Amino acid sequence: MKVRYFDNKTLKSFNPLLAYPGVCINPRSIFTNFRTFAVIIKEFFFLQFFEKLHIIHIPIVHVDHPLDQKIPFTPSKVRIYLDFINLWVRPLTMLISKFGCWHASLLCKKWMRIFRRLYIAAGQIYHFRLTTTDRPKYKDMLEFRQIHALDPHFLCVPSLHIATVALAFGFYRRTFAEEDFSEAEIKNWSMELYDGAVEIAETVLYVKQHSVNCIPAALYMVTANFGDLFSVEDARKFIDDMFNKPEGFSEVEAFQVKDHIRTAFENYLKEGEKSENWYEPVHKFLENYEKEAK
C-alpha cells in the first residue's frame, strides 16, 4: 500500500463528492454503509414523518429555554450548520488520496458502524419522547426551505448535529493515531476538525435548530456510549471552547449559556452513575420538563 503525505494541505481542500464513489459504494464497505443509511432513514426521517402524519403518537416535549433568546437568529451561518456531513465526509476523500480506495473503504466501514450505533443510541431517547423548539418560519434562503421541508423538527434532544461532529472528531483522532500519518498531518487536521466541530456546534443555536438544552444531552450521549473516542474531559473542553467569540450577544450572556450547558452535562453524568441505563437521566429530564410545561 503506497502512502502519500499532505503536510501542507487542509481537509477542506479535499472534495467530499469523491468519497461517495470512492468508498461509500466500494464493495468492501457497501453493505455496512447501506445498513447504516437504513438505520438513519428509520430513526431520523421515518420517525419524524410518521409522527407528522399521525401514524405514530409519541409525546412531544417543547425544550426551549429562556437563554435561547440571548443568541440572535443568524441565517448567514446556515451553510456552516449544514457542513456537519462534510466534516466527516471530506476526511474520507483524504483517506482515499492517502491510502487508496481499498484501505480507505475499511476505515470508512469502521466509521459507518460507529455512526450507526450513534443513531441507535439516539433512538433510545427519541422513541421515549420526541422534542421540539420554536424555530423561526424563515424562508428567505433556499437552505432554510430545504431544512424545513426535510426536517419536521421533532428530534431536538439529543442534538445529532452536536453528537455527530464530536464523534467524528474523536474517530479521526484515533484513526490518525493508529494509521500512518505524519506529525504535521495529525496536528493540522486534528485542529481543523476540532475547530470545525466547535464552530458547527455553535450554529445549532445561531440558526435556531436547537435549544441550549439539546447540547448537553448530545455530549452526554457520546461520552456514555463512545467514551473511548470522546471522553468526559473532551466534552468539558468542547463546552469551554464554545462561544469564546460570541456574535450578536455579550460575553456575559455567552458565559451564561455555557454555564447552563456545563451544569446540565455534569448533572447527566451524576445521574448516569446511579442509573441502570445511560439514557435514564435524559428520560428523567424530559419527563420533568414535560410536567413543568403543563
Side-chain angles (χ1 to χ4, degrees), residues 103-131:
H103 188 65
S105 292
L106 177 61
L107 298 174
C108 174
K109 191 173 181 178
K110 288 182 179 180
W111 162 252
M112 284 297 187
R113 285 173 173 165
I114 292 168
F115 202 32
R116 185 195 316 155
R117 285 173 52 206
L118 178 65
Y119 274 78
I120 292 172
Q124 292 177 303
I125 298 172
Y126 297 154
H127 287 273
F128 173 73
R129 290 290 190 277
L130 297 177
T131 47

Side-chain angles (χ1 to χ4, degrees), residues 1-4 94-104 107 175 179-181:
M1 178 182 67
K2 183 179 179 181
V3 178
R4 300 174 64 193
M94 175 273 292
L95 294 175
I96 295 170
S97 300
K98 186 171 179 65
F99 299 119
C101 288
W102 194 248
H103 188 65
L107 298 174
T175 301
E179 299 291 332
D180 190 356
F181 287 87

Side-chain angles (χ1 to χ4, degrees), residues 164-174 190 193-194 197 230 234:
T164 296
V165 297
L167 190 57
F169 164 72
F171 170 77
Y172 284 112
R173 178 176 56 180
R174 185 176 72 180
S190 294
L193 278 169
Y194 182 78
F230 194 82
D234 287 328

Side-chain angles (χ1 to χ4, degrees), residues 82-95:
L82 292 173
D83 199 50
F84 85 107
I85 295 175
N86 283 336
L87 184 82
W88 61 263
V89 175
R90 277 191 295 262
L92 294 179
T93 301
M94 175 273 292
L95 294 175

